Amino acid sequence: MSSATTGKLANDVNLFPNVTIYPRAEIGQRVRVHAGTVIGSDGFGYVQDGGIHRKVPQIGNVIIGDDVEIGANVTIDRGALGPTVIGKGTKIDNLVQIAHNVESGKAP
């Protein structure tokens, strides 16, 4: 995570190659994130306007609790307005997509 972001990265976080973490993501302690995972990208949010798809800004974030393990090539979308939450102790397999505003597992 670059110093230009305003996210939070706790102690003992293990990020494998090619992990992308967008600004404002909050990652708890003892979290493992495997290769190719993207945390905090836009959710799939559009509205119809005169037959044209218009992008709805996704202004939320992602909160990942302690002791979470995220497999390879996972995507976790940031929330549209509030957070997407991956609760404490959650385990996510490879190639999983978590949509915006999902709340999974125990509260962080």
Side-chain angles (χ1 to χ4, degrees):
M1 238 166 132
S2 90
S3 60
T5 67
T6 57
K8 296 178 186 175
L9 192 61
N11 296 322
D12 199 19
V13 172
N14 193 349
L15 303 176
F16 290 91
N18 300 316
V19 168
T20 301
I21 302 173
Y22 280 67
R24 298 183 303 108
E26 299 177 19
I27 300 179
Q29 297 185 70
R30 298 172 305 279
V31 171
R32 294 171 52 90
V33 184
H34 290 272
T37 289
V38 177
I39 298 171
S41 58
D42 278 357
F44 192 76
Y46 294 91
V47 64
Q48 282 279 338
D49 179 20
I52 298 171
H53 287 91
R54 304 272 185 207
K55 182 81 171 150
V56 175
Q58 307 290 288
I59 60 174
N61 68 333
V62 174
I63 300 171
I64 297 175
D66 297 340
D67 303 307
V68 169
E69 183 153 359
I70 300 170
N73 296 307
V74 170
T75 59
I76 302 174
D77 296 343
R78 69 175 169 261
L81 298 174
T84 297
V85 178
I86 307 300
K88 180 178 180 177
T90 299
K91 310 302 181 209
I92 301 172
D93 202 355
N94 299 333
L95 299 170
V96 172
Q97 193 269 333
I98 306 292
H100 57 107
N101 295 95
V102 165
E103 293 187 17
S104 174
K106 297 178 185 176

